[in-house]
């Protein structure tokens, strides 16, 4: 009864854990599942509970949270995915890609260019965000929706940790204005996406502030050493095996990844 009274969004702990288990097992098996909202009455608050439970399963396997990712912070992504609210997810150390990525166990991976922030101080409130930045870098995010057809509602994608799968970043640079940097992503030397960091809420720093707001509402303090991915400036593109991807941002250099 206590559980029932305390469950904020109408889902019992057992239901949250069962839905999280479906998504986590889909990720581990590399096999897509139907949208949760096809059968479960999932609102946004309950979806974040499911997301948190998927992260708990990763932590139980020894992973560590090392940052957060923002989603739908640009029109290009909202239009691509048909969703129009800013969301967030958590990044773990197992998601950090160094030089190459094995796509064999993934479902239908996509890649997108990102601006990344490195925090050097804890962020307790949105007002702390800008001063907490110790570095900025060009980055990329690999998305792999656990849903069939890479298709979902807002609540579904929140539960699925905002499609987070992997990420990487180039060398850290001292904090600087990143409001209007040209971004270019190439696969095997061919340009596949280009845009400006201004597409990210007008300035990626606003995305960091939004991350701080969402985190503080969820009772999570952003930690020193954490990475914050501000969200893509362009649509995501399919990421095949055997590809060489290069993402560059004006003034921030580039980052590369090879897939197997
Ligand atoms: C959801 C994640 C969106 C972004 O940068 O907007 C996202 C998805 O498109 O699968 O990470």
């Amino acid at each position: 009864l206590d559980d029932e009274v305390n469950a904020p969004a109408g889902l019992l702990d057992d239901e949250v854990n069962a839905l999280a288990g479906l998504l986590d097992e889909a990720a581990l098996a590399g096999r897509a599942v139907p949208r949760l909202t096809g059968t479960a009455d999932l609102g946004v608050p309950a979806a974040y509970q499911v997301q948190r439970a998927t992260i708990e399963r990763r932590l139980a396997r020894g992973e560590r949270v090392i940052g957060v990712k923002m989603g739908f912070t640009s029109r290009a992504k909202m239009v691509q995915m048909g969703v129009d609210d800013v969301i967030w997810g958590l990044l773990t150390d197992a998601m950090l890609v160094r030089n190459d990525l094995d796509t064999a166990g993934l479902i239908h991976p996509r890649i997108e260019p990102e601006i990344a922030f490195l925090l050097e101080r804890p962020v307790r409130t949105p007002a702390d965000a800008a001063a907490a930045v110790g570095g900025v870098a060009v980055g990329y995010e690999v998305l792999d929706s656990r849903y069939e057809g890479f298709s979902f509602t807002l609540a579904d994608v929140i539960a699925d940790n905002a499609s987070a799968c992997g990420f990487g970043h180039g060398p850290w640079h001292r904090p600087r204005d990143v409001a209007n940097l040209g971004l270019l992503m190439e696969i095997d030397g061919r340009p596949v996406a280009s845009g400006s960091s201004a597409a990210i809420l007008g300035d990626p720093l606003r995305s960091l502030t939004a991350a701080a707001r969402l985190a503080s509402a969820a009772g999570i303090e952003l930690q020193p050493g954490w990475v914050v991915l501000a969200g893509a400036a362009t649509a995501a593109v399919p990421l095949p095996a055997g590809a060489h991807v290069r993402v560059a941002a004006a003034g921030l250099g580039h980052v590369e990844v090879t897939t197997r």
Side-chain angles (χ1 to χ4, degrees), residues 8-222:
L11 281 194
L12 303 176
D13 283 356
D14 284 353
E15 293 173 297
V16 167
N17 288 331
L19 296 176
L22 278 175
L23 292 172
D24 188 49
E25 276 149 32
L28 289 172
R31 207 166 17 215
V33 292
R35 303 175 175 200
L36 302 185
T37 55
T39 46
D41 183 12
L42 194 68
V44 165
Y48 275 111
Q49 287 182 279
V50 174
Q51 178 190 114
R52 191 72 80 86
T54 67
I55 299 296
E56 292 300 334
R57 292 175 68 111
R58 286 176 170 270
L59 300 184
R61 290 196 288 271
E63 296 182 30
R64 268 183 320 118
V65 174
I66 59 164
V68 309
K69 60 155 291 179
M70 298 297 288
F72 307 130
T73 51
S74 69
R75 290 288 311 154
K77 286 292 307 187
M78 289 182 183
V79 169
Q80 181 183 27
M81 306 314 296
V83 167
D84 62 3
D85 224 343
V86 170
I87 64 171
W88 73 310
L90 291 165
L91 300 172
T92 72
D93 58 339
M95 298 179 194
L96 181 62
V97 178
R98 288 203 165 78
N99 302 311
D100 58 340
L101 174 69
D102 188 355
T103 57
L106 305 182
I107 303 167
H108 36 207
R110 296 179 177 178
I111 189 163
E112 57 189 23
E114 294 266 348
I115 298 291
F117 295 99
L118 177 64
L119 301 180
E120 65 176 6
R121 276 192 266 280
V123 178
R124 299 192 179 87
T125 73
D128 296 339
V133 175
V136 294
V138 61
Y140 62 84
E141 185 177 10
V142 177
L143 302 172
D144 195 24
S145 175
R146 268 55 70 169
Y147 298 117
E148 291 166 354
F150 221 116
S151 143
F152 40 69
T153 66
L154 185 66
D156 287 309
V157 66
I158 289 169
D160 189 25
N161 197 26
S163 308
C165 171
F167 72 102
H169 58 79
W172 294 112
H173 295 262
R174 294 149 81 85
R176 63 189 62 186
D177 181 9
V178 292
N180 189 11
L181 306 181
L183 287 163
L184 175 65
M185 182 163 74
E186 294 169 315
I187 298 189
D188 298 330
R190 272 187 297 276
V192 291
S194 65
S196 162
S197 63
I200 304 162
L201 297 177
D203 179 347
L205 198 56
R206 292 211 184 97
S207 182
L208 175 62
T209 308
R213 180 170 47 75
L214 291 167
S216 95
I220 292 178
E221 187 176 289
L222 305 179

